[in-house]
Amino acid sequence: MGNSTELRRKGACLAWLFVCGLLLKGPALAAEARSEPTWVEVDTAGVAVAGADQGDDQVASDAVLMEVDAEPGTPYVRSRVRYRVRVLARVPLRDATLSEPMAEGARVRRLGQDRRFDTRRNGRDYRVIERLYVVVPRRAGSLVIHGPTLRAAVPLRAIADRGLDDGLLTRRALVERTPEPLALTVRPPPEGASRPWLPAESLSISEEWEPEPEQALAGEPLLRRVSVEAFGVGLGGVALPDVPSVEGLRIYTEPVRSEELVVGEDLAVRVEQAQTLVPTKDGLVRVPELIIPWWSLGMDEQRLARLPSRDLLVGSSSRTPDAAATDEAMRRRFLERATADPWGWGWLLLSLAIILLVTLAVLIRERRRRGPRQGRAGRALVAEPTASDCGARFRRACERNDPTAARAALGAWARAEGLSQQEGRGIASVLRARGDAGEAAAALMELDRVVYGHAGNGAAAESKSSPGRKSKPWQGTAALGAIAPLLGAAVRAKRSVDEERLPPLFPESGPGGR
């Protein structure tokens, strides 16, 4: 009848009962309507996984495999060991996690990115994910590398197409794989090997001079950079030998700079040291050779990296100081260079000035670009209303019996139609020109009398002769009926009057010209 599903997530438990599409809870959970519960695990992504308690017994042992290998099998102490981990799967893996390998008495570091490829084992196709590590043993003896642990979920529908996926819950089986520990035998340095012990696949040494040593002058410093590059080394630097003292030459060494690099599937170390050499006398001065002993892992024998000696033919200088002055000057110069900050206040101020100039240039360009647009927008905002808008304003003012607003609307209408440049002064003249606008002219004069207090000289005299006479309230309905129908006709009459005028003697300079 129903299907009861209990959901578990972080200790919380919710009970639901679906019966014929209805959700029941509380007392409605009848014993006879209850089926056996099914445990469902909800992962962190919010996906319900039915049957999550089903483990590796649901997944064939050869469906997911793990392989590990290490080379070389008998490494030297402080040499690197390539440790590879491969996950082979012929079923899809969901939410897979892979821990890190561990080895007591050794350093472990992951190299590069995972490789993905396909392979075939025992007549079956597998998808492979390979991860590379470098293990560097710190002491001789037995080294056990414990492999990483793989945890993943495999959809059951990928194992057997038996309709286990109901479309609502994804049924999965949890898979866990851990490879067997890998035991290695770490060898100590061979008898007769040089100290310090430096195992590597290859090692090279080079030098650069500034200026060229052929231009050496007494008292003038020479800058020498010694660089060493070693490939296939363990996690650590390359120690440079001390520079011996040379008669007629003062040598000041700077701290060694070391850098670890990942080159392909191997580790590399680059070491660089700057030396300042100051000849103190004229003549021939020999810079001794530089020798770095190292152990070749490929040849399994002692090798020497040599930087040959160099003869400096030192010429005389017009300002050769004595040895004590040269020594003191070079010490100061060395300390200044060692403590100098290449990103000091000078560089900081220069950077701030450049940023400020760039910001000002961008602001000026944006202002120039937006200026015309803003000008046009401003003109659009203060544009005069149209004649139809003014007519509507006049109608509303008349309906409210507001003479001031009605007169202002007529003035704006006159400006919009171009009848006059001085607030409605041409309205009466245009209406008189029609000959049949006596009622409208009278209404306009009445409106002027109410608003301005006079309606021409005759009206003024009449108001003076009868100062005690009370004025009647202005009726907007009468003015609206007399003036509104003639607003459009007044424009046509004005245009006809303008056409009958004689052309001006001199051309006008523009709309505002006289």
Side-chain angles (χ1 to χ4, degrees):
M1 293 178 60
N3 181 20
S4 175
T5 302
E6 294 187 10
L7 303 179
R8 294 184 299 174
R9 183 173 186 180
K10 296 182 179 179
C13 182
L14 302 174
W16 305 89
L17 179 64
F18 293 89
V19 180
C20 298
L22 299 178
L23 176 62
L24 306 180
K25 61 180 180 179
L29 296 175
E32 59 272 14
R34 184 188 302 271
S35 61
E36 291 298 326
T38 300
W39 290 101
V40 178
E41 180 181 352
V42 181
D43 60 9
T44 57
V47 179
V49 182
D53 55 343
Q54 301 173 2
D56 289 354
D57 55 347
Q58 297 292 322
V59 182
S61 58
D62 61 346
V64 180
L65 303 175
M66 283 195 70
E67 296 179 350
V68 294
D69 62 65
E71 58 171 344
T74 55
Y76 283 109
V77 64
R78 293 188 60 189
S79 66
R80 61 98 179 92
V81 178
R82 294 192 186 95
Y83 181 77
R84 301 179 189 273
V85 179
R86 285 182 289 271
V87 178
L88 298 86
R90 56 184 181 86
V91 293
L93 301 180
R94 300 289 185 264
D95 304 327
T97 61
L98 187 64
S99 63
E100 297 293 328
M102 295 183 297
E104 185 178 357
R107 295 181 62 184
V108 181
R109 174 177 173 178
R110 180 180 171 182
L111 288 187
Q113 302 294 327
D114 294 345
R115 292 181 57 229
R116 300 174 184 269
F117 56 92
D118 297 326
T119 188
R120 190 172 181 83
R121 300 289 173 85
N122 300 326
R124 296 179 179 271
D125 295 328
Y126 288 88
R127 183 65 174 171
V128 184
I129 301 177
E130 182 181 86
R131 184 171 293 180
L132 177 63
Y133 296 88
V134 167
V135 181
V136 181
R138 297 177 176 175
R139 58 176 180 264
S142 177
L143 175 65
V144 178
I145 304 177
H146 299 275
T149 298
L150 170 70
R151 294 182 176 89
V154 178
L156 294 182
R157 65 175 180 271
I159 302 175
D161 189 9
R162 294 178 295 178
L164 297 178
D165 190 3
D166 57 5
L168 295 176
L169 301 177
T170 302
R171 299 176 180 268
R172 300 179 181 179
L174 300 181
V175 176
E176 183 173 318
R177 297 286 190 270
T178 302
E180 294 293 331
L182 195 61
L184 305 178
T185 300
V186 181
R187 295 179 291 172
E191 293 292 336
S194 61
R195 297 293 186 271
W197 167 246
L198 178 58
E201 290 289 347
S202 64
L203 190 142
S204 61
I205 185 171
S206 60
E207 66 176 0
E208 295 180 0
W209 291 81
E210 183 182 347
E212 293 298 327
E214 288 78 7
Q215 304 173 2
L217 296 176
E220 296 293 336
L222 298 173
L223 182 60
R224 181 195 189 195
R225 292 188 178 89
V226 179
S227 301
V228 178
E229 292 185 352
F231 295 90
V233 297
L235 299 175
V238 178
L240 295 179
D242 297 333
V243 180
S245 59
V246 179
E247 184 180 358
L249 190 66
R250 298 186 179 274
I251 304 176
Y252 305 91
T253 58
E254 297 184 6
V256 177
R257 295 187 301 175
S258 180
E259 180 183 9
E260 290 184 355
L261 305 173
V262 178
V263 181
E265 295 184 350
D266 218 335
L267 279 178
V269 175
R270 178 180 299 168
V271 176
E272 182 176 309
Q273 185 183 47
Q275 303 173 356
T276 302
L277 291 76
V278 182
T280 58
K281 66 177 183 179
D282 301 346
L284 185 63
V285 178
R286 171 165 293 183
V287 180
E289 68 175 348
L290 184 62
I291 301 177
I292 299 179
W294 59 286
W295 189 266
S296 174
L297 297 175
M299 302 297 294
D300 199 16
E301 63 180 12
Q302 180 78 34
R303 305 294 294 269
L304 298 177
R306 296 178 179 271
L307 195 60
S309 60
R310 183 182 290 269
D311 294 333
L312 303 180
L313 185 58
V314 181
S316 60
S317 176
S318 58
R319 55 182 185 87
T320 302
D322 55 9
T326 303
D327 188 19
E328 184 63 25
M330 292 310 303
R331 287 180 185 275
R332 287 198 305 268
R333 180 177 179 182
F334 173 76
L335 292 176
E336 291 175 358
R337 292 179 56 187
T339 59
D341 184 7
W343 301 98
W345 289 104
W347 286 101
L348 179 60
L349 294 177
L350 180 59
S351 301
L352 292 177
I354 293 175
I355 294 174
L356 180 60
L357 291 177
V358 171
T359 304
L360 290 177
V362 171
L363 291 177
I364 293 174
R365 186 184 65 179
E366 291 296 324
R367 185 174 180 181
R368 290 179 178 176
R369 184 170 62 86
R370 296 181 181 178
R373 298 181 182 178
Q374 294 179 352
R376 290 192 294 269
R379 288 192 294 270
L381 291 175
V382 299
E384 292 290 339
T386 61
S388 59
D389 296 337
C390 297
R393 287 168 51 188
F394 176 73
R395 180 180 298 277
R396 290 193 296 270
C398 291
E399 292 174 352
R400 296 195 310 269
N401 294 328
D402 187 353
T404 304
R407 189 63 181 86
L410 283 179
W413 174 83
R415 289 192 299 272
E417 292 292 346
L419 299 179
S420 174
Q421 299 296 330
Q422 301 179 356
E423 183 140 350
R425 290 295 183 179
I427 299 177
S429 61
V430 172
L431 294 178
R432 285 194 300 269
R434 288 187 49 82
D436 57 349
E439 184 179 357
L444 181 61
M445 292 180 64
E446 178 65 17
L447 179 60
D448 288 344
R449 182 189 66 78
V450 174
V451 175
Y452 302 116
H454 66 277
N457 295 334
E462 182 180 355
S463 62
K464 289 180 182 180
S465 62
S466 55
R469 181 179 178 183
K470 295 184 64 176
S471 60
K472 297 180 181 180
W474 181 74
Q475 299 296 327
T477 305
L480 178 63
I483 298 176
L486 299 179
L487 294 182
V491 176
R492 292 190 294 271
K494 196 260 182 186
R495 290 175 180 173
S496 62
V497 171
D498 292 340
E499 293 175 356
E500 294 176 359
R501 292 179 182 176
L502 293 176
L505 182 61
F506 298 100
E508 297 181 356
S509 59
R514 296 184 177 179

